[in-house]
Amino acid sequence: MNSDKRENRPFLGAFLMTASAASFALMGAAVKYAQGIPVFEKVLFRNLIILFIAFISLAGRRMSPWGEAGDRKKLFLRALLGYFGVVCTFYALGKLPLADANLLNKTSPFFVTFFAAIFLHERLRRVHIPALVAAMIGAVLIIKPGFDVNAFPAFIGFLSAIFAGAAYTLVRSLNAREDPMVIIFYFSLLSVLVSLPLAMRGFVIPNPPLLIALVATGLFGAGGQFFITLSYRYGKAADISIFNYSSVIFSLLIGYIGWRELPDWFSLTGALLILGAAGLVYFTARRGR
Protein backbone atom coordinates (compact mmCIF):
# COMPACT_ATOMS: atom_id res chain seq x y z
CA MET A 1 0.00 0.00 0.00
CA ASN A 2 1.21 3.52 -0.76
CA SER A 3 2.50 5.64 2.11
CA ASP A 4 0.59 8.74 3.21
CA LYS A 5 1.43 11.43 0.65
CA ARG A 6 -0.63 14.18 2.26
CA GLU A 7 1.25 17.30 3.37
CA ASN A 8 0.11 20.47 5.07
CA ARG A 9 1.49 23.25 2.84
CA PRO A 10 -1.26 25.90 2.88
CA PHE A 11 0.36 28.29 0.39
CA LEU A 12 0.76 25.56 -2.24
CA GLY A 13 -2.74 24.24 -1.54
CA ALA A 14 -4.20 27.75 -1.92
CA PHE A 15 -2.24 28.35 -5.14
CA LEU A 16 -3.45 25.09 -6.68
CA MET A 17 -7.05 25.82 -5.67
CA THR A 18 -6.77 29.27 -7.31
CA ALA A 19 -5.30 27.70 -10.45
CA SER A 20 -8.27 25.33 -10.50
CA ALA A 21 -10.67 28.26 -10.19
CA ALA A 22 -9.01 30.00 -13.14
CA SER A 23 -9.20 26.83 -15.24
CA PHE A 24 -12.88 26.34 -14.47
CA ALA A 25 -13.60 29.99 -15.27
CA LEU A 26 -11.97 29.52 -18.69
CA MET A 27 -13.96 26.32 -19.14
CA GLY A 28 -17.13 28.28 -18.40
CA ALA A 29 -16.18 30.82 -21.05
CA ALA A 30 -15.71 28.00 -23.59
CA VAL A 31 -19.11 26.56 -22.64
CA LYS A 32 -20.70 29.99 -23.01
CA TYR A 33 -19.19 30.36 -26.48
CA ALA A 34 -20.40 26.90 -27.61
CA GLN A 35 -24.03 27.95 -27.98
CA GLY A 36 -26.29 25.52 -29.82
CA ILE A 37 -24.58 22.38 -28.52
CA PRO A 38 -26.81 20.25 -26.25
CA VAL A 39 -25.86 20.07 -22.58
CA PHE A 40 -25.04 16.34 -22.42
CA GLU A 41 -22.95 16.64 -25.58
CA LYS A 42 -20.85 19.31 -23.84
CA VAL A 43 -20.56 17.10 -20.77
CA LEU A 44 -19.49 14.16 -22.93
CA PHE A 45 -16.82 16.14 -24.82
CA ARG A 46 -15.47 17.57 -21.59
CA ASN A 47 -15.15 14.22 -19.86
CA LEU A 48 -13.87 12.31 -22.89
CA ILE A 49 -10.90 14.67 -23.07
CA ILE A 50 -10.33 14.49 -19.32
CA LEU A 51 -10.53 10.68 -19.46
CA PHE A 52 -7.98 10.56 -22.30
CA ILE A 53 -5.55 12.85 -20.46
CA ALA A 54 -5.88 10.89 -17.21
CA PHE A 55 -5.39 7.54 -18.98
CA ILE A 56 -2.30 8.73 -20.91
CA SER A 57 -0.78 10.20 -17.74
CA LEU A 58 -1.28 6.97 -15.80
CA ALA A 59 -0.14 4.74 -18.66
CA GLY A 60 2.98 6.87 -19.18
CA ARG A 61 3.93 6.28 -15.56
CA ARG A 62 2.87 2.61 -15.71
CA MET A 63 0.32 3.12 -12.96
CA SER A 64 -2.91 1.20 -12.63
CA PRO A 65 -5.96 3.45 -13.14
CA TRP A 66 -7.97 1.43 -10.64
CA GLY A 67 -6.19 2.55 -7.47
CA GLU A 68 -5.65 0.63 -4.26
CA ALA A 69 -8.14 -2.17 -3.63
CA GLY A 70 -9.15 -0.68 -0.30
CA ASP A 71 -9.90 2.72 -1.90
CA ARG A 72 -12.11 1.60 -4.79
CA LYS A 73 -15.39 2.07 -2.98
CA LYS A 74 -14.36 5.61 -2.05
CA LEU A 75 -13.18 6.28 -5.60
CA PHE A 76 -16.48 5.11 -7.03
CA LEU A 77 -18.45 7.09 -4.44
CA ARG A 78 -16.44 10.24 -5.18
CA ALA A 79 -17.11 9.78 -8.89
CA LEU A 80 -20.80 9.14 -8.32
CA LEU A 81 -21.26 12.13 -6.01
CA GLY A 82 -19.33 14.33 -8.44
CA TYR A 83 -21.50 13.24 -11.34
CA PHE A 84 -24.70 13.83 -9.35
CA GLY A 85 -23.36 17.30 -8.61
CA VAL A 86 -22.77 17.96 -12.31
CA VAL A 87 -26.25 16.68 -13.24
CA CYS A 88 -27.88 18.85 -10.58
CA THR A 89 -25.85 21.87 -11.68
CA PHE A 90 -26.85 21.47 -15.32
CA TYR A 91 -30.48 20.92 -14.37
CA ALA A 92 -30.48 24.06 -12.23
CA LEU A 93 -28.78 26.04 -15.01
CA GLY A 94 -31.52 24.93 -17.37
CA LYS A 95 -34.35 25.98 -15.05
CA LEU A 96 -33.02 28.94 -13.05
CA PRO A 97 -31.50 32.30 -13.93
CA LEU A 98 -27.76 31.81 -14.38
CA ALA A 99 -26.90 34.00 -11.37
CA ASP A 100 -29.23 32.07 -9.06
CA ALA A 101 -27.84 28.68 -10.12
CA ASN A 102 -24.26 29.87 -9.73
CA LEU A 103 -24.91 31.28 -6.29
CA LEU A 104 -26.50 28.06 -5.07
CA ASN A 105 -23.52 26.05 -6.36
CA LYS A 106 -21.06 28.43 -4.69
CA THR A 107 -22.24 27.25 -1.28
CA SER A 108 -20.22 24.03 -1.79
CA PRO A 109 -17.15 25.24 0.19
CA PHE A 110 -19.37 25.44 3.27
CA PHE A 111 -20.10 21.74 2.92
CA VAL A 112 -16.43 20.90 2.26
CA THR A 113 -15.48 22.65 5.48
CA PHE A 114 -18.11 21.00 7.65
CA PHE A 115 -17.89 17.54 6.04
CA ALA A 116 -14.11 17.62 6.54
CA ALA A 117 -14.59 18.56 10.20
CA ILE A 118 -17.11 15.74 10.73
CA PHE A 119 -15.65 12.91 8.65
CA LEU A 120 -11.94 13.75 8.41
CA HIS A 121 -11.70 15.26 11.91
CA GLU A 122 -10.06 18.41 10.60
CA ARG A 123 -10.13 21.17 13.20
CA LEU A 124 -12.63 23.93 12.45
CA ARG A 125 -10.96 27.18 13.45
CA ARG A 126 -12.94 30.12 14.72
CA VAL A 127 -11.87 32.19 11.72
CA HIS A 128 -13.47 29.84 9.18
CA ILE A 129 -17.10 30.67 9.82
CA PRO A 130 -16.86 34.51 9.57
CA ALA A 131 -14.49 34.19 6.60
CA LEU A 132 -16.86 31.89 4.73
CA VAL A 133 -19.80 34.18 5.53
CA ALA A 134 -17.84 37.17 4.19
CA ALA A 135 -16.96 35.24 1.03
CA MET A 136 -20.59 34.28 0.51
CA ILE A 137 -21.70 37.90 0.94
CA GLY A 138 -19.06 38.85 -1.61
CA ALA A 139 -20.39 36.27 -4.04
CA VAL A 140 -23.93 37.62 -3.57
CA LEU A 141 -22.72 41.16 -4.29
CA ILE A 142 -21.00 40.02 -7.47
CA ILE A 143 -23.70 37.70 -8.76
CA LYS A 144 -26.65 39.86 -7.62
CA PRO A 145 -29.23 37.08 -7.98
CA GLY A 146 -32.86 37.90 -8.55
CA PHE A 147 -34.07 34.94 -6.50
CA ASP A 148 -37.09 34.62 -8.85
CA VAL A 149 -37.00 30.83 -8.58
CA ASN A 150 -39.52 28.15 -7.83
CA ALA A 151 -38.88 25.65 -5.09
CA PHE A 152 -37.89 22.45 -6.89
CA PRO A 153 -35.15 23.75 -9.25
CA ALA A 154 -33.72 25.81 -6.38
CA PHE A 155 -33.64 22.69 -4.20
CA ILE A 156 -31.83 20.77 -6.98
CA GLY A 157 -29.31 23.62 -7.32
CA PHE A 158 -28.73 23.47 -3.57
CA LEU A 159 -28.23 19.69 -3.83
CA SER A 160 -25.49 20.28 -6.41
CA ALA A 161 -23.47 22.11 -3.76
CA ILE A 162 -24.01 19.33 -1.22
CA PHE A 163 -22.88 16.67 -3.71
CA ALA A 164 -19.85 18.75 -4.71
CA GLY A 165 -18.89 19.35 -1.08
CA ALA A 166 -19.15 15.64 -0.29
CA ALA A 167 -17.16 14.72 -3.42
CA TYR A 168 -14.30 17.10 -2.65
CA THR A 169 -14.21 15.95 0.97
CA LEU A 170 -13.63 12.42 -0.36
CA VAL A 171 -10.91 13.85 -2.62
CA ARG A 172 -9.16 15.17 0.47
CA SER A 173 -9.40 11.74 2.10
CA LEU A 174 -8.25 9.84 -1.00
CA ASN A 175 -5.27 12.11 -1.63
CA ALA A 176 -3.55 10.51 1.34
CA ARG A 177 -2.96 7.41 -0.82
CA GLU A 178 -4.13 7.86 -4.41
CA ASP A 179 -2.59 9.69 -7.34
CA PRO A 180 -4.75 12.65 -8.45
CA MET A 181 -5.05 11.18 -11.95
CA VAL A 182 -6.54 7.98 -10.53
CA ILE A 183 -9.27 10.02 -8.84
CA ILE A 184 -9.86 12.00 -12.03
CA PHE A 185 -9.90 8.80 -14.11
CA TYR A 186 -12.72 7.30 -12.03
CA PHE A 187 -14.79 10.48 -12.22
CA SER A 188 -14.34 11.01 -15.95
CA LEU A 189 -14.92 7.33 -16.82
CA LEU A 190 -18.19 7.19 -14.91
CA SER A 191 -19.26 10.53 -16.42
CA VAL A 192 -18.55 9.32 -19.97
CA LEU A 193 -20.36 6.02 -19.49
CA VAL A 194 -23.45 7.71 -18.10
CA SER A 195 -23.44 10.71 -20.47
CA LEU A 196 -22.82 8.81 -23.73
CA PRO A 197 -26.33 7.43 -24.31
CA LEU A 198 -27.87 10.75 -23.25
CA ALA A 199 -25.65 12.75 -25.62
CA MET A 200 -26.54 10.53 -28.58
CA ARG A 201 -30.09 11.88 -28.48
CA GLY A 202 -30.15 14.98 -30.64
CA PHE A 203 -26.39 14.98 -31.27
CA VAL A 204 -25.20 18.14 -33.08
CA ILE A 205 -22.12 17.97 -35.34
CA PRO A 206 -20.05 21.05 -34.34
CA ASN A 207 -18.48 23.37 -36.90
CA PRO A 208 -14.73 24.15 -36.50
CA PRO A 209 -15.09 27.11 -34.05
CA LEU A 210 -17.53 25.16 -31.90
CA LEU A 211 -15.27 22.10 -32.01
CA ILE A 212 -12.37 24.23 -30.74
CA ALA A 213 -14.59 25.52 -27.94
CA LEU A 214 -15.61 21.97 -27.01
CA VAL A 215 -11.97 20.84 -26.95
CA ALA A 216 -11.09 23.87 -24.81
CA THR A 217 -13.92 22.90 -22.47
CA GLY A 218 -12.26 19.52 -21.98
CA LEU A 219 -8.71 20.88 -21.63
CA PHE A 220 -9.62 23.57 -19.11
CA GLY A 221 -11.92 21.12 -17.33
CA ALA A 222 -9.02 18.69 -17.04
CA GLY A 223 -6.80 21.44 -15.67
CA GLY A 224 -9.45 22.44 -13.16
CA GLN A 225 -9.99 18.83 -12.04
CA PHE A 226 -6.25 18.19 -11.73
CA PHE A 227 -5.48 21.35 -9.75
CA ILE A 228 -8.43 21.03 -7.38
CA THR A 229 -7.66 17.36 -6.76
CA LEU A 230 -4.00 18.09 -6.11
CA SER A 231 -4.78 21.08 -3.89
CA TYR A 232 -6.40 18.88 -1.26
CA ARG A 233 -3.14 16.93 -0.96
CA TYR A 234 -1.30 20.01 0.27
CA GLY A 235 -3.86 21.85 2.38
CA LYS A 236 -6.64 21.16 4.82
CA ALA A 237 -10.06 21.44 3.24
CA ALA A 238 -11.20 24.11 5.70
CA ASP A 239 -8.14 26.25 4.90
CA ILE A 240 -8.13 26.12 1.11
CA SER A 241 -11.70 25.53 -0.05
CA ILE A 242 -12.47 29.24 0.30
CA PHE A 243 -10.03 30.00 -2.54
CA ASN A 244 -12.53 28.32 -4.85
CA TYR A 245 -14.46 31.61 -4.68
CA SER A 246 -11.73 33.26 -6.75
CA SER A 247 -13.45 31.73 -9.79
CA VAL A 248 -15.98 34.57 -9.52
CA ILE A 249 -13.18 37.11 -9.88
CA PHE A 250 -11.68 35.28 -12.87
CA SER A 251 -15.13 35.15 -14.46
CA LEU A 252 -15.43 38.92 -14.10
CA LEU A 253 -12.11 39.41 -15.88
CA ILE A 254 -12.93 36.92 -18.63
CA GLY A 255 -16.37 38.46 -19.08
CA TYR A 256 -14.82 41.88 -19.67
CA ILE A 257 -12.15 40.61 -22.06
CA GLY A 258 -14.48 38.37 -24.05
CA TRP A 259 -17.82 40.18 -23.90
CA ARG A 260 -16.99 43.65 -22.49
CA GLU A 261 -19.03 42.94 -19.36
CA LEU A 262 -18.11 45.69 -16.89
CA PRO A 263 -18.44 45.06 -13.14
CA ASP A 264 -20.32 47.63 -11.05
CA TRP A 265 -19.49 48.79 -7.53
CA PHE A 266 -21.38 45.87 -5.99
CA SER A 267 -19.17 43.44 -7.91
CA LEU A 268 -15.97 45.26 -6.97
CA THR A 269 -16.98 45.31 -3.30
CA GLY A 270 -17.77 41.60 -3.48
CA ALA A 271 -14.38 40.85 -5.01
CA LEU A 272 -12.65 42.69 -2.17
CA LEU A 273 -14.66 40.72 0.40
CA ILE A 274 -13.69 37.43 -1.21
CA LEU A 275 -10.00 38.32 -1.40
CA GLY A 276 -10.04 39.60 2.16
CA ALA A 277 -11.73 36.46 3.49
CA ALA A 278 -9.31 34.20 1.61
CA GLY A 279 -6.35 36.18 2.94
CA LEU A 280 -7.69 36.00 6.49
CA VAL A 281 -8.00 32.21 6.36
CA TYR A 282 -4.56 31.78 4.82
CA PHE A 283 -2.62 34.02 7.20
CA THR A 284 -4.45 32.58 10.21
CA ALA A 285 -3.46 29.09 9.04
CA ARG A 286 0.14 30.25 8.65
CA ARG A 287 0.19 31.45 12.27
CA GLY A 288 -1.22 28.07 13.36
CA ARG A 289 -4.24 29.49 15.19
Side-chain angles (χ1 to χ4, degrees), residues 7-10 12-13 16 172 230-236:
E7 303 176 39
N8 188 26
R9 298 169 64 184
L12 181 56
L16 290 167
R172 173 64 177 161
L230 193 61
S231 70
Y232 285 111
R233 173 173 293 181
Y234 295 107
K236 292 182 178 180

Side-chain angles (χ1 to χ4, degrees), residues 65-86:
W66 307 115
E68 298 287 344
D71 291 333
R72 287 169 189 164
K73 289 182 179 179
K74 278 188 178 181
L75 286 164
F76 176 78
L77 183 59
R78 179 268 181 268
L80 190 62
L81 288 167
Y83 186 74
F84 284 158
V86 170

Side-chain angles (χ1 to χ4, degrees), residues 8-15 17-18 109-110 112-113 122-136 232 235-245 272-289:
N8 188 26
R9 298 169 64 184
F11 178 80
L12 181 56
F15 173 80
M17 181 65 78
T18 304
F110 283 101
V112 174
T113 299
E122 293 186 359
R123 185 164 60 93
L124 191 64
R125 299 186 178 95
R126 285 180 293 179
V127 70
H128 288 137
I129 294 177
L132 286 167
V133 170
M136 181 57 97
Y232 285 111
K236 292 182 178 180
D239 290 335
I240 66 173
S241 61
I242 196 170
F243 287 86
N244 187 36
Y245 279 102
L272 289 174
L273 277 172
I274 292 170
L275 290 174
L280 178 64
V281 170
Y282 171 69
F283 287 112
T284 302
R286 291 283 288 178
R287 290 196 298 267
R289 294 181 182 175

Side-chain angles (χ1 to χ4, degrees), residues 77-148:
L77 183 59
R78 179 268 181 268
L80 190 62
L81 288 167
Y83 186 74
F84 284 158
V86 170
V87 170
C88 289
T89 298
F90 275 99
Y91 177 84
L93 286 169
K95 299 292 184 179
L96 303 177
L98 180 61
D100 295 341
N102 283 338
L103 178 61
L104 289 167
N105 188 257
K106 285 299 175 186
T107 61
S108 62
F110 283 101
F111 297 106
V112 174
T113 299
F114 290 110
F115 286 153
I118 293 170
F119 296 108
L120 304 184
H121 308 293
E122 293 186 359
R123 185 164 60 93
L124 191 64
R125 299 186 178 95
R126 285 180 293 179
V127 70
H128 288 137
I129 294 177
L132 286 167
V133 170
M136 181 57 97
I137 293 172
V140 171
L141 288 172
I142 290 174
I143 298 170
K144 296 178 289 295
F147 289 107
D148 52 340

